[in-house]
Amino acid sequence: MRVTGRWLAIAWLGLGLATGCNQAASTSDQHAAGAVAVIDLDAIASRLGSDKQIVDSIAQRQTSLSQQLVDLAKSYTQQIEEKKKTLTEAPPEQADVTVASWQKQANANLNKVKQQAEADLKKHQATLVAQFREQIKPVARRVAQKRGLSVIVTKNDNVLYD
């Protein structure tokens, strides 16, 4: 109950009324049909502390992925060093070409993993933002209905929210 009350209070603070171009803003409890609520998701996230939670979660994921990349790079370096030991009998020119080939393959693999990590990080961020929006939507809908507003748009986007 406390959490719902908190969400409701924040939504009340975050919702504003925007009326049509030729309509005057109503000061009474009666609102014109089709009135629009404008919600500032950034302000709501800031007041709830959700913005910091999202940033922290992304930072943790980024740290984890970076550490995985470092570990993978170390692993490739170790594997190349072990393979170099097997080339002691090969001519130096051939050994250099072979080692360069292994390094090139390791770098290509690292770049591929890095791109996957970047995509994973973007997907994680999008998921967190979508979850936040879904948490806010029912509260914003209730507040808008109580105020007699029929459309909710976000201040942050150029899309219809609800």
Side-chain angles (χ1 to χ4, degrees), residues 49-100:
S50 297
D51 57 343
K52 291 177 182 159
Q53 291 174 348
I54 290 171
V55 167
D56 289 347
S57 180
I58 292 168
Q60 287 174 354
R61 176 70 63 102
Q62 186 172 21
T63 300
S64 173
L65 292 172
S66 294
Q67 186 59 50
Q68 289 175 13
L69 286 171
V70 168
D71 293 344
L72 185 60
K74 286 179 183 177
S75 172
Y76 284 148
T77 302
Q78 185 179 18
Q79 289 174 20
I80 289 171
E81 290 301 319
E82 289 173 5
K83 287 181 177 183
K84 280 183 185 179
K85 293 176 185 175
T86 65
L87 295 176
T88 55
E89 296 178 13
E93 299 84 24
Q94 184 182 0
D96 289 343
V97 170
T98 302
V99 170

Side-chain angles (χ1 to χ4, degrees), residues 1 4 17 23 36 41 66-67 71 80-81 87 91 103 109 112 116 129 134 149 155 158 160:
M1 284 294 205
T4 303
L17 172 64
Q23 296 176 343
V36 176
L41 293 175
S66 294
Q67 186 59 50
D71 293 344
I80 289 171
E81 290 301 319
L87 295 176
Q103 288 174 333
N109 289 344
K112 183 178 178 182
Q116 290 172 340
V129 170
E134 287 303 311
L149 308 173
K155 177 180 176 186
N158 293 326
L160 183 65

Side-chain angles (χ1 to χ4, degrees), residues 14-16 18 35-41 133 140 144 150-162:
L15 275 177
V36 176
V38 177
I39 187 169
D40 186 345
L41 293 175
R133 286 174 169 248
S150 58
V151 178
I152 302 172
V153 294
T154 61
K155 177 180 176 186
N156 319 79
D157 301 321
N158 293 326
V159 296
L160 183 65
Y161 187 63
D162 194 39

